[in-house]
Amino acid sequence: MAGQVIESTECAAVPEGVSVPRVRGGPRQRPDAVAGDKGYSTRAIRAWCRQHGVHAVIPDRRDPVAQRAHRRGRKPGFDADAYRARNIVERVIGWLTCLRRVAACAETLAVRYAGMISLALIARMANLLSDTT
């Protein structure tokens, strides 16, 4: 059942489970912005972003744009530069899925799976550094 869940339905739950340490103060749990494709352009995700002060970098689907433009008389702004930076994450995920052990989810424990991803990223950085020298 867990493999059948749509990603966009879990969008609000992910930041709540993340804790990023800071130099001063308590750990940070919410991002400055959330970037997603048109599949993340839902009322629930946009409402969560507004409620928590998170900037939504999500392009609109065609149907809601016309509805909002009719209601408000204008089209909402969209940060295209921030959306383009999302490409870096997409390329890393694409590269990770080429690795059989990561793509097949061969590890049964989340800790081991995270370890495999860490090892893959370390190996990738080592290859990149050896190519530049």
Side-chain angles (χ1 to χ4, degrees), residues 38-122:
K38 290 182 181 183
Y40 289 87
S41 183
T42 65
R43 287 181 181 170
I45 292 174
R46 291 185 183 278
W48 183 90
C49 289
R50 276 192 305 275
Q51 196 174 35
H52 292 91
V54 176
H55 178 63
V57 184
I58 304 169
D60 285 315
R61 295 186 310 245
R62 289 183 185 160
D63 51 337
V65 170
Q67 293 170 3
R68 277 200 302 274
H70 177 70
R71 279 195 314 251
R72 296 182 187 156
R74 62 180 174 84
K75 184 177 177 181
F78 174 69
D79 190 356
D81 293 331
Y83 186 74
R84 279 189 211 103
R86 178 179 166 269
N87 182 24
I88 296 167
V89 175
E90 292 288 338
R91 283 188 281 153
V92 169
I93 291 170
W95 173 78
L96 282 171
T97 57
C98 291
L99 303 173
R100 187 184 332 165
R101 189 163 186 159
V102 173
C105 299
E107 302 301 331
T108 55
L109 297 176
V111 173
R112 291 182 183 165
Y113 188 72
M116 288 306 301
I117 290 175
S118 297
L119 284 173
L121 292 173
I122 290 168

